[in-house]
Amino acid sequence: YVANCDSDNVTVINGTDNSTADVAAGTFPLAVAINPATNKIYVANCDSNNVTVIDCADNSTATVVAGTEPWEVAVNPATNKIYVTNHNSNNVTVIDGASNTATDVAVGTNPYGVAVNPATNKIYVANYNTDNVTVIEEQAVQEIDPAVTISPLPGHVTVNQSPDFSFS
């Protein structure tokens, strides 16, 4: 699944024969994420302030309203929750994958990257203009204070889920 910013669609590539099909999305789709547990794709549409939900079974779509300029999206397949950073509304839209209902959680200024740790049900949001990472506790769906201060202008973020990882 490839977000095509200038075409306002997503290209679906068949991994068996590399054939393609296009699925309409919102305006200026920037990021895609899959929930392998539900076989759904989530597309952050920056200029239409929404998320396109694609059902992989038949490429049918639904739309969920998000904040201003959705940039990135991450999925927790264990809880069927989807997290979308909204760059210009300084929040994260949390989508319930079962009902496509959405709520917003305040974060730092200009949130950019987002990552989910399904083992701990914590979400990490890189806030580009506040030089920090907001940590969201999924069960309470609220920001955990304080945010983690890091180097200037953080962008993307990911989580190491290895059980063998530790600081030395």
Side-chain angles (χ1 to χ4, degrees):
Y1 293 85
V2 182
N4 301 307
C5 298
D6 288 338
S7 302
D8 299 337
N9 64 26
V10 172
T11 298
V12 180
I13 303 171
N14 181 323
T16 303
D17 62 9
N18 290 337
S19 61
T20 62
D22 291 332
V23 177
T27 308
F28 207 77
L30 281 180
V32 296
I34 187 167
N35 185 339
T38 64
N39 210 24
K40 300 239 171 121
I41 301 292
Y42 296 86
V43 184
N45 301 307
C46 182
D47 288 352
S48 57
N49 301 328
N50 62 29
V51 173
T52 300
V53 182
I54 302 172
D55 187 324
C56 296
D58 60 7
N59 288 339
S60 61
T61 63
T63 303
V64 178
V65 174
T68 307
E69 289 191 6
W71 277 39
E72 289 203 11
V73 58
V75 173
N76 186 342
T79 61
N80 198 16
K81 300 279 192 234
I82 299 83
Y83 299 88
V84 183
T85 57
N86 299 307
H87 192 68
N88 280 345
S89 57
N90 304 326
N91 62 20
V92 169
T93 297
V94 181
I95 301 170
D96 180 325
S99 63
N100 282 343
T101 56
T103 57
D104 294 326
V105 176
V107 294
T109 305
N110 301 119
Y112 194 96
V114 59
V116 173
N117 186 338
T120 63
N121 290 327
K122 289 187 180 174
I123 297 82
Y124 300 88
V125 180
N127 301 304
Y128 191 76
N129 282 326
T130 45
D131 302 334
N132 64 18
V133 172
T134 299
V135 181
I136 299 172
E137 178 69 51
E138 186 172 273
Q139 290 181 327
V141 190
Q142 66 185 17
E143 178 181 0
I144 298 173
D145 287 321
V148 180
T149 302
I150 57 175
S151 296
L153 305 178
H156 299 282
V157 61
T158 191
V159 173
N160 182 348
Q161 297 177 31
S162 170
D164 299 327
F165 179 76
S166 65
F167 286 105
S168 299

